[in-house]
């Protein structure tokens, strides 16, 4: 069969690699000059920066995404990663000397003595959830299904709670509650809208201390986080070379303007220059709304698919300031990644985001040092720093192009709370706004990580109302992280082949 795949981001490359592996003819189209979508690096004044994912889960040896890539002979060079958290008036920084897997619980008991009992209960619940997670990731079998069901019993009573209800169940102090729900604001999700079980899953303790062992009784028990040495673009480079070495074609600088549908079946693609390329199967990625309403055509959709397109909620954009600096920020921060929250009011933060009000750094931001996992990104003796935050795609007041310098300066000024004198040490600066991400991802509304993981959300499914047309990528997956996107693309390919 001949496959046309639209988009050489992670989803398109995984889908294409699977089809090539099975001996199919594959052409992947992407508008950008390099493959990878948001995995591709950007450059400025002799420095390189990550413009997409930073902290990756499920990618360490024995984890699902690593197994997926291993099918194509891809073994990435990884290092474990973790992050510090700065709340408005307390810090959670990993201790210099390892204090065991529960050091955060013990430190929080000192900070919030009236919540000590709740913290003990939360960590018992957390351990039970890690058992569930372990069983979820096991190879499907009758035995693992029983183990999964059994591990779910102790947490079942929490399964109807929202994230907010769950943290209120365990903790009285809202400052403590916000520590566990803060990450949801990154997803533009209000804690009232998200399932409570997402709280332990998005707060894996291994993500706060890279020394916590991942194995228990000889089994890979806990999920860990990693950085890819050499940067995320390595995933795209490795998948691209697997595809092209096995007969697939990747056409870069090529925009697909239309998916051609004949007699209710996908028949190929028309490129922006008018060329028609025939295919038996078409797989598209990118924005669900753009793809179906512009590239495919609304007339081919049924009412239930149209309803999903109208109601699903993509995340918002990011505002990013990349800086080349003449000092090593890791020496000051003690870590390569730091989440700095500016507010405990996550309801207001997500509401502002959705209403197009940029918080101007007030609600929080991240400090990330890509030259930690990839020293070659910076000239000798120099380092890369990225300061970034979630931001609306479209500003209620003003536009990104005219406001970006001012907003970048404000963000850097706020970053000086943690990196004193930062602005005097910047040798190169590159600002990325929603407009840059729209261009990179070919979306008319930039959405940095996929869809908001709210309860009952229905994303555009892989299988579409058009025969042999499949939808893959970040907007078909809740939360849209790397494993969701690559696992989703692999599942879509398998479903497509079965038909
Ligand atoms: C700033 C940022 C931080 C992130 N952090 C994390 C993280 O820490 N951990 C994590 O797991 N995930 C993270 N993510 C999410 C993850 O990186 C993405 O969900 C995933 O890489 C998306 O892959 P994709 O293939 O769906 O889309 P994309 O990477 O957007 O690729 C789609 C490609 O298709 C092209 N395209 C679309 N339509 C057309 C067309 N008609 N013609 C030609 N080309 C087309 C686009 O130009 C693009 O190159 C982050 C993302 C961003 C942006």
């Amino acid at each position: 069969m001949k496959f046309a795949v639209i988009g050489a981001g992670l989803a398109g490359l995984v889908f294409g690699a699977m089809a090539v592996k099975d001996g199919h003819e594959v052409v992947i189209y992407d508008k950008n000059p390099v493959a990878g979508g948001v995995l591709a690096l950007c450059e400025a004044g002799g420095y390189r920066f990550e413009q997409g994912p930073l902290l990756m889960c499920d990618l360490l040896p024995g984890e699902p995404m690593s197994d997926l890539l291993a099918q194509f002979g891809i073994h990435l060079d990884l290092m474990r990663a973790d992050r510090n958290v700065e709340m408005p008036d307390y810090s959670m920084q990993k201790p210099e000397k390892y204090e065991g897997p529960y050091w955060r619980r013990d430190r929080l008991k000192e900070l919030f003595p009236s919540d000590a009992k709740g913290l003990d209960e939360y960590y018992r619940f957390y351990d039970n959830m890690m058992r569930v997670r372990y069983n979820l990731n096991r190879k499907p079998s009758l035995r693992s299904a029983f183990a999964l069901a059994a591990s779910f019993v102790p947490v079942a009573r929490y399964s109807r709670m929202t994230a907010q209800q769950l943290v209120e169940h365990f903790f009285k102090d809202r400052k403590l509650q916000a520590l566990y729900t803060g990450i949801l604001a990154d997803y533009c999700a209000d804690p009232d809208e998200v399932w409570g079980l997402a709280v332990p899953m998005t707060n894996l303790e291994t993500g706060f201390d890279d020394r916590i062992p991942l194995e228990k009784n000889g089994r890979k028990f806990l999920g860990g986080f990693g950085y890819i040495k050499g940067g995320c673009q390595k995933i795209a480079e490795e998948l691209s070379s697997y595809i092209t070495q096995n007969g697939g074609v990747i056409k870069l600088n090529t925009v697909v303007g239309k998916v051609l549908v004949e007699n209710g079946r996908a028949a190929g693609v028309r490129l922006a220059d008018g060329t028609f390329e025939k295919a038996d199967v078409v797989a598209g990625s990118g924005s669900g709304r753009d793809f179906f309403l512009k590239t495919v055509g609304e007339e081919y959709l049924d009412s239930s698919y149209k309803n999903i397109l109208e109601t699903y909620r993509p995340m918002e954009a990011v505002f990013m300031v990349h800086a080349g600096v003449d000092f090593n920020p890791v020496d000051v921060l003690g870590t390569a990644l730091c989440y700095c929250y500016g507010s405990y009011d996550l309801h207001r933060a997500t509401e502002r985001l959705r209403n197009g009000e940029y918080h101007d750094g007030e609600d929080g931001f991240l400090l990330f040092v890509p030259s930690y996992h990839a020293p070659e990104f910076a000239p000798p003796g120099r380092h890369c720093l990225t300061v970034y935050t979630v931001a609306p795609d479209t500003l209620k007041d003003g536009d990104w192009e005219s406001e970006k310098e001012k907003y970048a300066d404000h963000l850097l000024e706020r970053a000086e709370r943690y990196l004193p004198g930062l602005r005097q040490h910047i040798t190169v600066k590159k600002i990325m706004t929603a407009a840059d991400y729209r261009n990179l991802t070919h979306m008319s509304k930039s959405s940095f990580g996929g869809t908001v993981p709210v309860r009952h959300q229905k994303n555009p499914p892989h299988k579409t109302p058009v025969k042999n047309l499949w939808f893959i990528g970040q907007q078909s997956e809740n939360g849209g992280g790397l494993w969701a996107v690559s696992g989703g693309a692999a599942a879509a390919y398998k479903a497509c082949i079965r038909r």
Side-chain angles (χ1 to χ4, degrees):
M1 279 201 290
K2 181 167 180 189
F3 284 74
V5 182
I6 305 166
L10 179 63
L13 291 172
V14 166
F15 192 96
M18 297 202 63
V20 158
K21 187 163 183 277
D22 281 350
H24 297 292
E25 203 182 322
V26 173
V27 183
I28 304 180
Y29 306 88
D30 199 289
K31 68 168 282 195
N32 292 316
V34 288
V38 301
L39 301 182
L41 299 172
C42 65
E43 296 194 44
Y47 292 80
R48 278 170 292 162
F49 300 93
E50 303 277 12
Q51 42 190 358
L54 33 112
L55 200 59
M56 278 146 296
C57 203
D58 303 305
L59 198 52
L60 294 172
E63 296 185 344
M65 190 165 163
S66 145
D67 290 348
L68 176 76
L69 294 175
Q71 287 179 51
F72 313 117
I74 300 174
H75 303 280
L76 298 164
D77 199 2
L78 293 151
M79 57 201 281
R80 274 191 70 184
D82 55 20
R83 61 194 192 270
N84 283 350
V85 181
E86 298 288 344
M87 298 304 280
D89 52 5
Y90 69 96
S91 298
M92 293 302 289
Q93 295 177 357
K94 108 178 164 187
E96 223 168 275
K97 198 168 148 286
Y98 181 52
E99 291 175 11
Y102 299 107
W103 67 262
R104 290 206 332 148
R105 178 195 61 194
D106 299 340
R107 169 150 170 70
L108 288 166
K109 278 186 184 177
E110 282 164 22
L111 288 169
F112 302 96
S114 62
D115 272 314
K117 198 165 155 267
L119 279 158
D120 281 332
E121 273 173 32
Y122 171 79
Y123 279 92
R124 273 196 295 276
F125 157 74
Y126 170 83
D127 285 344
N128 286 331
M129 279 302 294
M130 289 306 104
R131 271 179 214 113
V132 173
R133 190 181 185 280
Y134 168 75
N135 286 319
L136 271 172
N137 283 335
R138 284 170 72 180
K139 289 215 164 58
S141 68
L142 204 56
R143 202 186 155 102
S144 63
F146 275 126
L148 178 61
S151 59
F152 193 71
V153 173
V155 299
R157 69 190 176 110
Y158 304 103
S159 64
R160 307 300 302 167
M161 289 182 183
T162 65
Q164 187 59 36
Q165 286 166 342
L166 187 115
V167 291
E168 282 174 9
H169 170 83
F170 288 112
F171 315 122
K172 291 187 277 295
D173 198 313
R174 64 188 271 276
K175 292 185 180 179
L176 181 54
Q177 294 168 3
L179 179 72
Y180 292 92
T181 49
I183 188 76
L184 300 174
D186 287 28
Y187 296 116
C188 321
D190 186 301
D192 279 327
E193 308 176 293
V194 180
W195 288 118
L197 297 188
V199 170
M201 296 303 205
T202 49
N203 284 282
L204 300 184
E205 293 296 307
T206 50
F208 303 102
D209 193 331
D210 59 4
R211 299 162 296 186
I212 297 178
L214 304 179
E215 302 229 334
K216 236 185 195 176
N217 307 328
R219 290 179 179 172
K220 168 80 182 54
F221 190 72
L222 295 170
F225 290 83
Y227 294 129
I228 301 168
K229 288 189 189 165
C232 287
Q233 192 168 292
K234 288 269 179 215
I235 308 180
E237 285 167 2
E238 297 275 348
L239 281 168
S240 300
S241 57
Y242 177 83
I243 291 164
T244 50
Q245 279 167 18
N246 289 282
V249 174
I250 302 176
K251 293 192 177 177
L252 298 169
N253 298 306
T254 307
V255 173
V256 172
K258 203 79 197 152
V259 170
L260 294 162
V261 180
E262 285 169 7
N263 304 320
R265 305 177 79 89
V269 293
R270 190 164 57 228
L271 309 183
D273 67 4
T275 323
F276 168 62
E277 303 211 353
K278 208 170 155 354
D280 303 304
V281 176
V282 177
S285 60
S287 150
R289 289 190 185 115
D290 290 342
F291 182 67
F292 288 104
L293 303 181
K294 293 183 190 159
T295 315
V296 177
E298 202 173 342
E299 62 276 25
Y300 300 113
L301 304 178
D302 54 32
S303 57
S304 74
Y305 213 94
K306 272 191 213 164
N307 185 43
I308 294 172
L309 287 182
E310 274 161 24
T311 52
Y312 85 97
R313 261 177 48 200
M315 291 181 199
E316 286 293 329
V318 288
F319 179 64
M320 232 174 207
V321 186
H322 298 298
V325 292
D326 63 6
F327 70 107
N328 187 355
V330 176
D331 291 343
V332 185
L333 298 169
T335 170
L337 178 61
C338 190
Y339 280 48
C340 310
Y341 292 97
S343 162
Y344 291 109
D345 191 347
L346 300 165
H347 304 283
R348 181 163 169 264
T350 44
E351 198 182 325
R352 285 214 281 192
L353 194 54
R354 254 181 256 153
N355 290 339
E357 289 167 47
Y358 175 51
H359 58 86
D360 204 2
E362 191 183 292
D363 290 341
F365 52 84
L366 263 75
L367 300 169
F368 175 48
V369 188
S371 49
Y372 175 71
H373 65 271
E376 67 279 12
F377 282 8
R382 302 288 167 102
H383 297 269
C384 308
L385 172 73
T386 301
V387 187
Y388 88 95
T389 185
V390 283
D393 170 77
T394 308
L395 291 174
K396 201 166 154 193
D397 301 311
D399 64 85
W400 280 115
E401 197 46 41
S402 44
E403 303 289 338
K404 68 180 189 183
E405 289 291 344
K406 176 184 81 187
Y407 284 148
D409 199 47
H410 292 177
L411 205 53
L412 293 171
E413 191 181 344
R414 287 185 193 276
E416 288 188 343
R417 176 173 172 193
Y418 308 99
L419 292 168
L422 169 65
R423 283 175 294 176
Q424 275 125 56
H425 294 275
I426 295 178
T427 52
V428 167
K429 190 173 77 182
K430 180 180 169 75
I431 305 171
M432 287 190 72
T433 70
D436 298 302
Y437 277 96
R438 274 181 232 137
N439 186 35
L440 175 68
T441 58
H442 198 64
M443 291 185 192
S444 53
K445 179 182 187 296
S446 158
S447 164
F448 91 97
T451 62
V452 185
V454 288
R455 293 176 303 157
H456 311 301
Q457 162 137 275
K458 265 194 159 177
N459 300 318
H462 299 140
K463 186 173 176 304
T464 77
V466 178
K467 281 202 182 104
N468 294 344
L469 176 69
W470 295 80
F471 183 60
I472 53 175
Q474 55 141 303
Q475 299 209 351
S476 55
E477 318 298 339
N478 261 9
L482 287 185
W483 167 236
V485 167
S486 48
Y493 172 75
K494 284 183 194 153
C496 148
I497 283 303
R498 270 200 303 272
R499 295 187 63 79

